[in-house]
Amino acid sequence: MKGWLRQHGFALGAALLHVRRAPGSFLFNVFVVAIALALPFAGLTVLDNVRPMSEQLSVNPEISLFVTPGTPRQQAETMGPHLRAMLKDKQAKIVFIPRELALDALKNKSGLTDVLATLGDNPLPDSYVVKLDAFKTTADASNIDIIAEQLRALPNVDTVQVDSAWVRRLAALLGVLRLALLLLAITLGTVVVAVVFNTIRLQVLMQRDEISVSKLIGATDIFIHRPFYYTGALLGLCAGGVALGSVALALRPLNKAIAEFARLYASEFQLVPLAPLPMVLLLALSAALGLAGALLSVQRHLARLS
């Protein structure tokens, strides 16, 4: 075990020595890789902030059920128990709205009292409002259409209106954003691997004579390769840290603009940085991308020196 640790410690020291020999080149590569990582990191931060808000918005979809005009009041009121029996497993709140109450509400909200008075008879039907609170995600809320079809099949039901269209639009929008972020991450991850691949290639070419001498005195391939692996992982890790720091700094001016917009909707929405665990995972992913680029470069270019 001590020998294994000693070998890895030597490889890490050799990698750091390579960095100290050309710090400008290393920092430039870190900057380039950080730019590529910052875009998906920023997108992930935004989605992580929007996700809880989208779940809260989709909790209580509603269905408006309008009774057929001319249906006697007593018969309209008897529909309530049938609705409760049908929706007993849906945690639904069912509210009966008499046509007179609906007309009074319309007068108060629209300011069309004089216009409605000229109509004579009340043109509005009795109705029910079904508030569903058993749906916790946008995917679940999209199932509200199935319930609406069942309600349309009931007798004395004229129209059923569902307000879940915005729920489906929100779910579709978030799905598109996740897919776009995934494609962006894959594309820029490939860029990271390519940058590290080229960086390690240049190091291999610069140390060609040193590698040849090491082989002559009996150094194994893994002993020669290991410092380059550490260099690639360090490059990815440092770039990931710079990218996360840049995203965190960018949130401050962005939140100032968001605060002005949120006040118009009586909201205090703010973007916050990722939690520590996701940050650690992103740093590990960045180091893994750097290591992958180093592996590909070493396997390709050092094989030619064998």
Side-chain angles (χ1 to χ4, degrees):
M1 185 65 181
K2 291 183 179 179
W4 183 85
L5 290 175
R6 188 182 301 111
Q7 291 179 5
H8 280 270
F10 175 82
L12 179 58
L16 293 175
L17 180 61
H18 295 159
V19 173
R20 286 198 298 268
R21 286 177 178 175
S25 176
F26 182 80
L27 292 177
F28 177 79
N29 287 319
V30 166
F31 179 72
V32 172
V33 174
I35 292 176
L37 292 175
L39 291 176
F41 285 5
L44 185 61
T45 300
V46 172
L47 283 181
D48 186 68
N49 280 271
V50 171
R51 178 179 52 81
M53 182 180 65
S54 67
E55 291 179 353
Q56 292 174 6
L57 290 174
S58 64
V59 169
N60 295 315
E62 294 183 357
I63 300 177
S64 297
L65 184 150
F66 297 95
V67 180
T68 303
T71 301
R73 172 61 54 79
Q74 184 177 3
Q75 191 172 355
E77 291 178 342
T78 58
M79 296 176 61
H82 294 289
L83 294 175
R84 292 183 178 88
M86 178 183 296
L87 302 173
K88 61 181 180 179
D89 298 330
K90 304 298 183 183
Q91 301 179 18
K93 181 180 179 181
I94 301 173
V95 180
F96 176 67
I97 302 178
R99 54 201 301 262
E100 296 83 10
L101 184 60
L103 182 62
D104 291 340
L106 181 61
K107 290 179 180 178
N108 294 332
K109 290 183 179 180
S110 64
L112 299 177
T113 304
D114 295 336
V115 176
L116 293 173
T118 60
L119 297 177
D121 294 337
N122 185 354
L124 301 178
D126 295 325
S127 62
Y128 285 89
V129 175
V130 181
K131 299 181 180 181
L132 301 167
D133 59 0
F135 302 102
K136 302 303 180 185
T137 65
T138 53
D140 291 337
S142 63
N143 296 327
I144 193 174
D145 288 336
I146 299 175
I147 300 174
E149 289 299 326
Q150 296 174 348
L151 296 179
R152 289 188 181 97
L154 294 176
N156 299 319
V157 174
D158 182 40
T159 306
V160 174
Q161 293 183 351
V162 182
D163 71 343
S164 65
W166 66 272
V167 175
R168 292 195 300 272
R169 293 190 188 102
L170 179 61
L173 177 60
L174 291 178
V176 170
L177 291 177
R178 292 190 188 98
L179 180 60
L181 180 61
L182 177 62
L183 295 176
L184 179 65
I186 292 174
T187 302
L188 295 179
T190 304
V191 172
V192 171
V193 172
V195 171
V196 176
F197 179 94
N198 188 62
T199 301
I200 299 302
R201 180 183 69 85
L202 294 175
Q203 282 195 3
V204 169
L205 294 177
M206 291 174 61
Q207 297 178 245
R208 178 182 302 176
D209 295 338
E210 182 180 338
I211 293 171
S212 299
V213 173
S214 298
K215 285 179 176 285
L216 290 175
I217 62 177
T220 61
D221 287 342
I222 189 62
F223 180 83
I224 296 172
H225 296 178
R226 196 177 287 126
F228 295 105
Y229 297 158
Y230 273 102
T231 301
L234 283 173
L235 176 56
L237 182 63
C238 293
V242 172
L244 287 174
S246 300
V247 172
L249 291 176
L251 292 181
R252 295 183 180 181
L254 186 60
N255 276 329
K256 292 181 180 179
I258 292 176
E260 296 295 333
F261 181 77
R263 285 196 201 97
L264 299 176
Y265 295 91
S267 174
E268 297 181 357
F269 177 75
Q270 292 280 286
L271 294 173
V272 298
L274 294 172
L277 180 58
M279 284 190 177
V280 172
L281 294 177
L282 289 177
L283 288 175
L285 178 61
S286 302
L289 289 174
L291 179 59
L295 281 168
L296 293 174
S297 184
V298 166
Q299 296 298 327
R300 178 178 177 83
H301 297 98
L302 282 182
R304 297 178 178 178
L305 301 179
S306 301

